[in-house]
Amino acid sequence: MNRRHRRLPPDIPPPDDIFAEMLLASRELLALRSPLDAELMVSDMIGAWWGRRLHGGDVEQILGEGLVDYAAKAGTPAALTLLIAMAYLGTSRQAAKAEGAALALMESGVARPRWADRVGAVKPMGCYVSRDAYGDQDTVVCTFSYRVPDGQGGEREEDHHALVVVVDYNMRGMARDAWVSSQVDKLLEQASAEARDNPMLLFEELEPQQARALLESAMKATLESVGRKGPPPVSESYGTYHAFARARIKALPPGRKRPAPLHSEAPYSRERRAMLAAEFLASDAAEHLSDPSAASRCADHIIDYGCEQDFGRPLRVSPTKCETFMLDWLPRKVMLSPAEQEAVPYVLSAWARFASKRTALPEEGLRATLDAIWEATARFAEAYRDPSSFGLDRELVERLLPDGDLSALARRAFAFPLLQGRHGDVVLDELDPADDADRRTLLEIDHIDERHRPDYQEHLAWHEEIAKRLWEGDPPEMWEAAQRLLDLGHDRHDVLHVLIEIAERIGDDPDELAAALDDIADIPDAPPL
């Protein structure tokens, strides 16, 4: 069952008529015979707001708990069926409220559906994982059956079904897709046959404890993607099955660590990274590289990317991973010299040959990876923008980026706009914005017109706090909020004062600070600080 209900606007809490529409749709629950159909229908309904964000509150609290309260007040049989399902499928707060409301309605004599006692009464049957040889993704299959009394003091199993979740390691290990199938035997047989016929696929049984740990981690990573720029990068159906998947995962036994992704190794220390780079540069795969210095620095970037962005897997190569490295991560994160820019595709191709032997990647996988690198080469030249090509002095850029993190350039330039020239006896070109003492001098010069303030020292200290946070990108919501306000045409100093006001009001709670910054849509009409 895959019903579609009215989707909710992202920023405006729905009026009661939206809740009424959902309650009207819940009448269909009364006619169902299968608890599986009921759970899937309600999962689809409450998936209407999954991935949405609301200014001023949590969407699950405002909409999810609001729906529970609305159903509790309605007190109809349809409302009771909805509450029974939400007691199993909802968040912990929604489930507790729904269970209490459902018990109250049943005690008052409201009729409940025939399937009510069987909601969530499932038994895990088996768990499996299908992995591609690249290590790009895992497709996890968890099978369940409902436990039904057999009338003789025992139980029988009914409604065998499978939850399928795709975990994408090129997207921070998040759950990217999910669905449910009732054709379990056919699903498992097909996955097993594909693995037998295709050397690029692996299919194996997974301990239920491991499956739970893996899926909990993946769904957490997906939830953390909500609120970043743009919609969450998941399939259109993910929201439909999210609540169902969350509930089924809790039916699996806990107690194991998440299984390591394919090609994972022991953690790479700095010394081990350096040894790996040396092994590569001394290998046959790297013998044709003509610029050893550029090759060495490029190899360091490849290894760092694999260790820090790919679950500690520098030796893993795939078409998608290499394209992401060239077209997304490098242009955002690393300041390359012209020689390094030219060397990137050659070094990455040599690395693919070197690494594929270490991971036993099939030859067809290596060929596809090399093809992807060369197809991305022309786009890399377009995607990578050397800061000096924008007219920025390279020495200035290096002062702002001592760590080489290109993604920090804009926010650090915003925090420290005065870095060149002279101010009295002070030579700005000699001040280091990464040094605490020099940073304070730069901020004093930037705020020289505010020295008349009676609270100048305290106010300057807050500017230092904001500048430090912008320099480090902590929290990332601070720079995102500043950009929104700048895009609306607000003055830089007014934007800084708003950030100070929020940081001063919220205090040290990082979650509350991030939420408050997220809620900034404009500067309110108020006297300036």
Side-chain angles (χ1 to χ4, degrees):
M1 180 176 294
N2 187 14
R3 302 180 183 275
R4 287 292 172 193
H5 301 281
R6 180 173 175 181
R7 295 299 176 184
L8 306 177
D11 299 318
I12 303 174
D16 283 351
D17 62 341
I18 299 295
F19 288 145
E21 184 180 333
M22 288 187 165
L23 199 58
L24 182 64
S26 297
R27 292 181 180 180
E28 297 181 37
L29 294 168
L30 298 171
L32 298 177
R33 295 184 178 183
S34 165
L36 177 61
D37 286 343
E39 291 170 22
L40 289 174
M41 179 177 172
V42 174
S43 179
D44 182 27
M45 289 176 64
I46 63 179
W49 56 73
W50 185 86
R52 307 283 188 170
R53 301 209 66 177
L54 296 177
H55 289 301
D58 176 70
V59 67
E60 292 291 355
Q61 181 177 351
I62 294 174
L63 301 186
E65 295 177 35
L67 178 60
V68 171
D69 292 339
Y70 187 90
K73 291 178 183 178
T76 63
L80 176 58
T81 62
L82 178 60
L83 291 170
I84 290 171
M86 288 196 70
Y88 172 65
L89 295 168
T91 65
S92 57
R93 285 173 56 96
Q94 293 167 7
K97 294 186 71 173
E99 183 178 8
L103 288 173
L105 291 182
M106 286 187 286
E107 289 175 0
S108 69
V110 178
R112 58 179 179 169
R114 288 171 293 179
W115 46 259
D117 291 336
R118 297 169 56 199
V119 169
V122 294
K123 175 183 178 181
M125 302 301 292
C127 297
Y128 310 84
V129 60
S130 177
R131 291 176 157 170
D132 68 84
Y134 293 121
D136 279 336
Q137 67 179 32
D138 289 345
T139 301
V140 182
V141 181
C142 298
T143 63
F144 303 87
S145 288
Y146 284 89
R147 301 190 301 268
V148 182
D150 61 7
Q152 300 177 356
E155 291 181 338
R156 69 176 187 273
E157 298 164 359
E158 288 185 357
D159 289 336
H160 200 33
H161 58 280
L163 169 67
V164 185
V165 180
V166 178
V167 180
D168 194 325
Y169 294 107
N170 289 312
M171 300 170 66
R172 301 178 300 280
M174 62 186 285
R176 182 175 54 80
D177 199 1
W179 66 91
V180 173
S181 173
S182 59
Q183 299 183 23
V184 178
D185 292 339
K186 181 178 179 181
L187 177 69
L188 296 178
E189 182 181 345
Q190 181 178 353
S192 180
E194 288 178 350
R196 287 195 303 268
D197 297 338
N198 187 346
M200 294 299 295
L201 289 176
L202 306 171
F203 183 72
E204 57 192 8
E205 194 164 358
L206 192 64
E207 292 185 14
Q209 296 94 329
Q210 289 183 312
R212 174 168 177 166
L214 172 57
L215 294 179
E216 284 181 336
S217 174
M219 292 190 74
K220 180 182 178 183
T222 304
L223 189 61
E224 290 172 350
S225 73
V226 175
R228 294 182 177 144
K229 291 183 179 180
V234 296
S235 68
E236 291 185 5
S237 65
Y238 182 83
T240 295
Y241 294 102
H242 174 265
F244 182 90
R246 179 179 59 199
R248 281 296 188 271
I249 291 169
K250 291 179 182 178
L252 297 171
R256 288 293 181 92
K257 292 183 178 180
R258 188 196 65 158
L262 195 65
H263 305 315
S264 290
E265 300 182 64
Y268 277 78
S269 64
R270 279 291 161 193
E271 292 76 13
R272 191 180 178 201
R273 295 187 196 188
M275 289 180 61
L276 181 60
E279 290 177 29
F280 162 65
L281 294 171
S283 70
D284 293 341
E287 65 179 356
H288 67 285
L289 299 176
S290 58
D291 187 336
S293 179
S296 176
R297 289 191 292 272
C298 288
D300 289 341
H301 296 319
I302 294 170
I303 294 170
D304 288 343
Y305 176 71
C307 290
E308 296 164 13
Q309 304 296 319
D310 190 30
F311 301 87
R313 301 186 293 177
L315 289 168
R316 186 182 82 84
V317 294
S318 78
T320 301
K321 179 181 177 181
C322 290
E323 286 182 357
T324 303
F325 173 75
M326 290 180 66
L327 304 180
D328 180 61
W329 191 75
L330 278 177
R332 286 189 301 106
K333 298 293 291 183
V334 180
M335 187 167 63
L336 299 171
S337 70
E340 292 163 3
Q341 294 173 48
E342 184 177 350
V344 163
Y346 299 97
V347 178
L348 186 56
S349 296
W351 180 267
R353 294 186 180 92
F354 168 77
S356 64
K357 292 182 179 179
R358 305 279 288 264
T359 62
L361 181 68
E363 182 64 27
E364 60 192 273
L366 173 60
R367 288 197 302 269
T369 301
L370 294 174
D371 288 344
I373 292 171
W374 292 114
E375 287 175 7
T377 297
R379 286 181 288 160
F380 172 68
E382 298 172 0
Y384 191 87
R385 289 291 182 265
D386 189 331
S388 62
S389 69
F390 298 139
L392 298 176
D393 180 72
R394 178 164 286 273
E395 183 178 342
L396 172 63
V397 171
E398 289 174 351
R399 287 166 65 201
L400 286 169
L401 304 179
D403 52 3
D405 184 359
L406 266 178
S407 65
L409 181 59
R411 68 172 189 268
R412 291 177 183 175
F414 171 77
F416 298 99
L418 301 178
L419 291 172
Q420 293 179 303
R422 299 180 68 94
H423 182 82
D425 295 333
V426 178
V427 180
L428 299 180
D429 302 75
E430 297 177 355
L431 298 179
D432 180 6
D435 177 81
D436 288 342
D438 286 359
R439 178 179 291 175
R440 184 174 181 87
T441 300
L442 288 166
L443 291 173
E444 286 176 346
I445 294 172
D446 189 27
H447 297 87
I448 194 169
D449 293 338
E450 297 187 62
R451 288 186 175 178
H452 65 280
R453 296 176 59 120
D455 62 344
Y456 172 70
Q457 292 300 327
E458 179 184 359
H459 186 63
L460 186 63
W462 274 110
H463 273 289
E464 284 188 89
E465 173 69 16
I466 298 301
K468 179 181 178 181
R469 287 184 174 276
L470 289 169
W471 182 273
E472 297 174 352
D474 180 27
E477 290 84 0
M478 180 166 286
W479 176 230
E480 291 170 4
Q483 291 178 92
R484 289 198 301 274
L485 297 178
L486 290 170
D487 289 343
L488 291 171
H490 293 293
D491 177 78
R492 169 180 172 273
H493 235 62
D494 289 342
V495 173
L496 287 171
H497 286 171
V498 169
L499 300 180
I500 289 174
E501 186 276 327
I502 292 174
E504 190 173 8
R505 171 166 53 85
I506 298 299
D508 295 330
D509 189 309
D511 293 333
E512 288 191 15
L513 177 59
L517 291 166
D518 254 350
D519 283 342
I520 297 178
D522 202 347
I523 295 180
D525 293 329
L529 293 174

